[in-house]
C-alpha cells in the first residue's frame, strides 16, 4: 500500500513529516511512503532513506492562513494538491497532511472527490475516554452547519469506521446534546433524533451530554461541525489547563516536589492518554479516497501514528466498505 504525505504541511514541516515517514517505513515494510514536497528541502533530510520511501517534487506550499478554495484552485503544484491528485489518480492509496484544515477539506472535495451518496464529508478524530476505548466524534469542524440527514450519514460512516478499524462489533452511537431526553436541544438535534432512531443496523443510544463524553458513554458521537469544534477545543484547553495547574501545585515546595517525583510515572501515563500525538490523525470520512488530517503541531511521532492509522484503514478496506453501505456500489 502506498501512502502520500504532504511533506510541507504543518507547523514543524518538513522535518516532522520526514521523521515520521522514516520511523513508519522502518516499522512497517508492507507500506511505501511518498513524501510530496520541495526536493531541495527534503533531500538533505533523507541521506539514508530506506527503499520504501521516495520523494515526489511539488514546488508550491499552501500556507496555514490562506483562503482554502482560492489556494487549492491556484496552487495546483502545491504539496497538498499534488498528494490529493495522487490519490484521485490511483498513484497513492491514501494521503496524510498536517497543513491548512480548510484547504485539506477543499482538496478532498475538489481533487480527491466526494463519495457517491455522501452530501457532507466529516472530520472524525478520536477523543480519549476514561476506559481507554475512545470515542470517534464527527463532525468536528469540516462543516460548520449541518442538516439532520447529514448527522444520520455521520452515524452510519462513523459506525463503519469503528467496526472496520477498531473491531467493535456493534458501535454505540450517541447524539451530542444539552440533555439526555429525546425532546431536548435545538431544531437540528430534535429533527435528527428520530432519523437516528430509525437507522437500520445502527445501535443508537440517544442523546449524550458533553460532560459524559469522556466516560465512554458511546463509541461514535455525532454532531454538527460548529458544536463539535467547540467541544474539541474545550477538551484540549481543559487538558492543557489541568496539567499547568498540576505543574504549578507540584512546584510549590520540597514536599510537593517529592510527591511529584513519586507520582511521575502515573502522571506521564495520564498525559499520554490525553496526547493527540498518540492518536494519529483525523480521517475525512465520506471522500472517495482515504485522507487523514494530522494536527497542525504534529511532531514525528504524531506523523508516524497517522501512518499507522492510515495503514489499518487501508487493510480494513474502510473506504470501499463505506461506499458499499452508502451507495450500494
Amino acid at each position: 500500500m502506498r501512502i502520500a504525505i504532504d511533506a510541507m504541511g504543518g507547523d514543524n514541516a518538513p522535518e516532522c513529516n520526514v521523521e515520521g515517514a522514516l520511523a513508519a517505513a522502518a516499522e512497517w515494510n508492507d507500506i511505501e511512503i511518498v513524501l510530496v514536497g520541495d526536493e531541495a528541502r527534503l533531500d538533505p533530510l533523507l541521506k539514508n532513506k530506506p527503499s520504501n520511501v521516495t520523494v515526489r517534487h511539488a514546488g508550491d506550499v499552501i500556507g496555514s492562513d490562506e483562503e482554502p478554495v482560492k489556494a487549492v484552485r491556484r496552487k495546483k503544484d502545491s504539496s497538498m494538491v499534488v498528494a490529493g491528485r495522487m490519490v484521485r489518480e490511483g498513484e497513492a492509496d491514501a494521503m496524510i497532511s498536517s497543513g491548512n484544515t480548510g484547504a485539506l477539506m477543499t482538496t478532498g472535495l475538489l481533487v480527491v472527490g466526494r463519495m457517491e451518496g455522501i452530501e457532507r464529508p466529516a472530520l472524525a478524530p478520536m477523543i480519549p475516554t476514561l476506559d481507554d476505548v475512545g470515542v470517534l466524534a464527527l463532525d468536528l469542524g469540516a462543516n460548520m452547519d449541518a442538516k439532520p440527514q447529514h448527522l444520520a450519514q455521520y452515524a452510519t460512516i462513523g459506525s463503519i469506521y469503528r467496526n472496520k478499524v477498531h473491531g467493535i462489533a456493534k458501535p454505540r452511537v450517541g447524539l451530542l446534546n444539552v440533555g439526555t431526553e429525546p425532546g431536548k436541544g435545538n431544531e437540528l438535534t430534535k429533527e435528527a433524533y428520530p432519523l437516528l432512531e430509525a437507522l437500520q443496523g445502527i445501535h443508537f443510544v440517544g442523546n449524550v451530554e458533553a460532560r459524559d463524553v469522556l466516560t465512554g458513554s458511546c463509541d461514535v458521537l455525532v454532531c454538527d461541525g460548529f458544536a463539535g469544534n467547540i467541544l474539541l477545543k474545550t477538551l484540549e484547553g481543559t487538558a492543557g489547563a489541568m496539567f499547568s495547574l498540576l505543574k504549578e501545585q507540584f512546584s510549590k515546595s520540597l514536599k510537593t516536589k517529592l510527591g511529584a517525583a513519586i507520582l511521575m510515572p502515573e502522571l506521564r501515563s495520564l498525559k499520554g492518554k490525553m496526547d493527540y500525538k498518540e492518536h494519529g490523525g483525523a480521517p475525512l470520512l465520506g471522500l472517495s479516497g482515504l485522507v487523514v488530517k494530522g494536527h497542525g503541531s504534529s511532531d514525528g511521532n504524531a506523523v508516524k501514528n497517522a501512518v499507522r492509522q492510515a495503514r489499518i484503514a487501508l487493510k480494513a478496506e474502510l473506504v470501499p466498505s463505506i461506499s458499499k453501505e452508502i451507495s450500494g456500489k
Side-chain angles (χ1 to χ4, degrees):
M1 58 193 88
R2 181 180 285 187
I3 299 170
I5 296 179
D6 168 14
M8 313 311 287
D11 300 341
N12 304 310
E15 289 81 3
C16 66
N17 295 308
V18 172
E19 182 185 334
L22 293 176
E27 183 154 341
W28 302 295
N29 58 15
D30 59 349
I31 59 171
E32 181 182 341
I33 294 179
V34 184
L35 286 163
V36 184
D38 185 353
E39 279 180 327
R41 293 189 63 189
L42 294 175
D43 284 346
L45 302 173
L46 290 163
K47 288 179 180 173
N48 297 309
K49 68 180 173 67
S51 59
N52 57 343
V53 174
T54 56
V55 173
R56 170 70 64 88
H57 179 70
D60 219 337
V61 179
I62 294 178
S64 60
D65 56 350
E66 290 193 69
E67 200 284 316
V69 176
K70 283 183 182 176
V72 170
R73 285 185 168 154
R74 290 177 180 173
K75 294 188 170 180
K76 297 187 185 304
D77 191 37
S78 64
S79 52
M80 183 185 290
V81 174
V82 172
R85 203 157 53 232
M86 289 177 67
V87 173
R88 184 190 68 194
E89 295 174 355
E91 289 187 74
D93 301 302
M95 72 166 284
I96 296 168
S97 176
S98 302
N100 185 319
T101 302
L104 184 61
M105 184 68 189
T106 305
T107 298
L109 288 171
L110 300 183
V111 181
V112 177
R114 188 169 43 194
M115 188 180 289
E116 186 179 341
I118 291 286
E119 293 188 35
R120 298 277 183 90
L123 186 64
M126 286 294 296
I127 293 176
T129 55
L130 298 179
D131 59 5
D132 291 335
V133 176
V135 56
L136 183 81
L138 67 168
D139 172 28
L140 293 202
N143 309 281
M144 287 299 110
D145 298 302
K147 295 178 180 175
Q149 60 267 32
H150 298 152
L151 300 194
Q153 282 199 336
Y154 297 164
T156 300
I157 61 179
S159 291
I160 295 171
Y161 185 92
R162 293 306 313 254
N163 175 256
K164 292 289 180 182
V165 176
H166 299 134
I168 300 176
K170 197 175 178 183
R172 298 162 299 151
V173 177
L175 173 64
L176 182 64
N177 211 330
V178 295
T180 56
E181 301 85 350
K184 284 281 188 177
N186 56 14
E187 290 304 314
L188 173 64
T189 55
K190 286 177 184 175
E191 289 183 34
Y193 193 100
L195 293 181
L196 292 166
E197 265 190 321
L199 284 173
Q200 295 293 318
I202 299 299
H203 182 30
F204 180 52
V205 295
N207 291 326
V208 172
E209 293 189 67
R211 67 184 178 187
D212 296 324
V213 170
L214 299 186
T215 63
S217 52
C218 60
D219 303 303
V220 178
L221 182 72
V222 297
C223 55
D224 63 281
F226 183 75
N229 198 263
I230 290 174
L231 172 70
L232 180 65
K233 299 290 170 59
T234 302
L235 291 173
E236 287 181 348
T238 302
M242 186 181 74
F243 283 109
S244 294
L245 281 172
L246 284 173
K247 188 175 180 182
E248 184 183 313
Q249 293 299 316
F250 281 132
S251 303
K252 276 190 169 179
S253 66
L254 178 60
K255 188 170 129 184
T256 55
K257 286 178 182 174
L258 287 172
I262 294 170
L263 292 172
M264 192 55 68
E266 287 76 16
L267 291 172
R268 283 184 178 145
S269 172
L270 178 61
K271 192 174 182 181
K273 278 188 181 184
M274 306 298 288
D275 192 350
Y276 68 88
K277 297 170 189 169
E278 300 299 326
H279 298 276
L284 279 170
L285 298 179
L287 299 174
S288 58
L290 182 62
V291 176
V292 178
K293 172 72 179 76
H295 197 287
S297 302
S298 290
D299 60 9
N301 187 45
V303 174
K304 178 192 169 188
N305 283 324
V307 173
R308 171 181 51 76
Q309 190 178 14
R311 176 176 174 269
I312 293 172
L314 289 172
K315 289 183 78 170
E317 298 186 329
L318 174 69
V319 172
S321 297
I322 294 175
S323 179
K324 186 177 179 183
E325 181 66 30
I326 298 296
S327 67
K329 295 181 179 176

